[in-house]
Amino acid sequence: MKYAEDLTMIQYDGYVVVRVADPWHKGKTLHTYVVIPDSVQQLPRHLPQGTIVRTPLCRAVVSTTVHSQLFINLSAPAAIRGVCDLAYVNIPYVQHQVKAGRIADCGSSMAPDVERMMNLNPDAVFLSPFENSGGYGKLEKTHIPIIECADYMEPSPLARAEWMKFYGLLLGKERQADSLFQQVESNYLRVKSQAQACKTHPTVLMDRREGGVWYLPGGRSTIGQMIADAGGRYIWAEEKSAGSVSLSLEAVLDRGADADVWLVRYSGIPHFGYNSLAGESKAYTLIQAFRQHHVMGCDLQNSGFYELTPFRPDLLIHDFYAIFHPEKISDDDKLYFFHALQP
C-alpha cells in the first residue's frame, strides 16, 4: 500500500494474503485473509493461517452504506444480497432492490438478523470493527467469512480510499479498483498542489450546534486534513483529535466568530438557509461568515456525502478548494456536495 497503514496485500502463487493491522493495538493483527480465486480449483499446499475467502464474491451482506456505494462504484452492485441499517442507506439502487425483494434487510449492524443472513448463503459479510466490541457473537459461529472493514481508522483521506484495492480484489474488480484509485489520487494531489500555490487561506468554521453541543471535526480528522490540503485554515487545526471535539456555543464563538467561511452540514431540512440558522440561534448572526453570506450548506440526506466521500475524497477536496478559492474556478465547475445558502 502507498498510503494505507493498516493494510498489506502480498501476492503468492495462486493466492493473496491480506493482513489487517489492529488499529487500536499497534503491532498486532486484527485479521488475516487468504484470498483464493475460484479458478484455482485445488487449494495450494501449506497455506498460511487465516480466513479463506474464495473470489470473486457474488453474494455479500454489507453492513454500511459506504461500502454498498463502493460496490456500485466498482460495477458490482449485484453482489449486494443483504444490507444492515437500511434506514441509513441513502442509495436509490439499494432501496429499490430491497423493495423488490432482491436485497434482504438484515436488521441492525449492531445486532444483525443472523438467521436471515444465513438464509442468503452469503460468500462474506462486510462489517465495521470497533474497539473492545467483544466479537461478532452468533455470526462468528456460522463460519461465513467476516470482512472487517477497518478502513475508517486510517489516518488520512487517501489512506482510507486505498482500501478499495482490497475490496476490488474480493469482488474480482482489481483493475477497476486500481484505475479508480489512480484517478482519486491524481485528482486529490492536483488540487492539493494548486491550493499550496494560493496566496490567500481563509479561516474555516464547521457545522453547528446540535442538542446543546457543537461537535467539530478534530484537526487530525479527514475533514480537518482536507480543509488544510484545500488551502483553508481550519480554526481547530491544532486540536489533535482524529475524531470529533464537543464544545459549547460560547467556546466556538469565542474562537470562530471571525471565520471567513462557514461550512454547515444538515440533513433533509427543506429550504435550509440563513433564516433557518438565525431561527436556531441568534448567536449565529454574530459569525462573520453569516453576516457576509459566506455560508455553504451540505444536505447529508440528499447529497451522497456519507456514501461517496470516504472513497472519493477527491470530490470533497474539490468542493473545499472551489469554496476557499472561487477565483480559481470556472463558472461551469460545479460543486458535488455543498451549495451556497440562500439569503
Side-chain angles (χ1 to χ4, degrees):
M1 296 295 105
K2 190 173 182 179
Y3 302 94
E5 296 183 2
D6 295 330
L7 181 70
T8 59
M9 302 198 305
I10 304 174
Q11 176 76 56
Y12 293 91
D13 185 16
Y15 62 94
V16 179
V17 173
V18 180
R19 288 190 174 90
V20 177
D22 188 332
W24 300 283
H25 302 93
K26 295 302 180 184
K28 294 187 177 181
T29 298
L30 182 67
H31 209 130
T32 299
Y33 300 95
V34 182
V35 182
I36 307 173
D38 279 337
S39 58
V40 179
Q41 296 181 359
Q42 185 172 356
L43 293 183
R45 294 183 177 182
H46 310 300
L47 287 174
Q49 288 189 338
T51 300
I52 294 178
V53 184
R54 302 304 297 262
T55 61
L57 300 179
C58 298
R59 304 178 62 84
V61 175
V62 188
S63 68
T64 72
T65 184
V66 170
H67 298 94
S68 295
Q69 183 63 55
L70 182 62
F71 274 45
I72 295 171
N73 291 350
L74 294 179
S75 303
I80 305 173
R81 295 302 178 92
V83 294
C84 295
D85 299 326
L86 180 62
Y88 301 101
V89 181
N90 293 321
I91 302 174
Y93 169 82
V94 172
Q95 292 288 344
H96 175 76
Q97 294 294 95
V98 170
K99 291 180 180 178
R102 288 187 283 269
I103 292 179
D105 178 1
C106 296
S108 166
S109 59
M110 302 303 293
D113 187 333
V114 176
E115 288 73 19
R116 183 171 295 183
M117 285 185 178
M118 292 181 65
N119 289 336
L120 296 173
N121 192 27
D123 304 318
V125 177
F126 288 68
L127 292 173
S128 294
F130 297 95
E131 186 177 15
N132 302 321
S133 67
Y136 301 104
K138 291 191 298 182
L139 186 59
E140 290 182 313
K141 299 177 182 179
T142 65
H143 302 294
I144 301 170
I146 297 174
I147 309 302
E148 299 198 79
C149 304
D151 50 81
Y152 74 98
M153 291 296 295
E154 288 288 349
S156 72
L158 288 178
R160 182 178 189 181
E162 194 172 22
W163 276 60
M164 71 173 70
K165 296 179 181 179
F166 173 37
Y167 303 131
L169 171 70
L170 296 176
L171 294 169
K173 301 290 184 180
E174 298 99 320
R175 290 185 179 180
Q176 290 92 327
D178 287 345
S179 177
L180 179 58
F181 182 73
Q182 288 177 11
Q183 177 188 348
V184 169
E185 179 189 31
S186 175
N187 291 345
Y188 192 101
L189 295 180
R190 183 182 68 253
V191 172
K192 182 179 179 179
S193 176
Q194 292 171 341
Q196 290 175 341
C198 293
K199 296 181 179 179
T200 59
H201 301 280
T203 53
V204 182
L205 177 65
M206 279 293 302
D207 296 327
R208 70 195 205 282
R209 183 175 61 171
E210 295 187 43
V213 180
W214 199 313
Y215 296 99
L216 292 152
R220 290 186 177 176
S221 66
T222 54
I223 292 289
Q225 292 180 57
M226 277 192 271
I227 290 174
D229 288 346
R233 287 190 296 121
Y234 183 39
I235 295 172
W236 273 266
E238 77 282 1
E239 294 286 348
K240 301 308 180 183
S241 171
S244 62
V245 180
S246 56
L247 297 171
S248 66
L249 173 64
E250 293 75 18
V252 175
L253 291 179
D254 183 58
R255 191 186 300 184
D258 295 330
D260 299 312
V261 177
W262 185 8
L263 304 176
V264 178
R265 291 179 289 182
Y266 62 96
S267 186
I269 303 174
H271 312 297
F272 185 85
Y274 287 89
N275 288 340
S276 306
L277 288 171
E280 289 182 5
S281 175
K282 292 295 183 184
Y284 290 159
T285 64
L286 302 175
I287 298 172
Q288 175 175 279
F290 182 99
R291 299 196 308 271
Q292 296 182 353
H293 289 169
H294 289 164
V295 184
M296 304 294 292
C298 172
D299 184 350
L300 299 174
Q301 184 172 312
N302 298 303
S303 66
F305 181 91
Y306 282 137
E307 290 75 24
L308 287 167
T309 58
F311 292 106
R312 292 301 308 268
D314 56 321
L315 303 182
L316 184 55
I317 195 177
H318 165 274
D319 274 18
F320 286 166
Y321 179 73
I323 292 167
F324 304 158
H325 309 287
E327 74 282 357
K328 303 290 186 179
I329 301 296
S330 69
D331 293 338
D332 296 330
D333 206 353
K334 67 173 185 176
L335 298 181
Y336 292 98
F337 307 106
F338 283 86
H339 61 274
L341 295 190
Q342 293 302 310

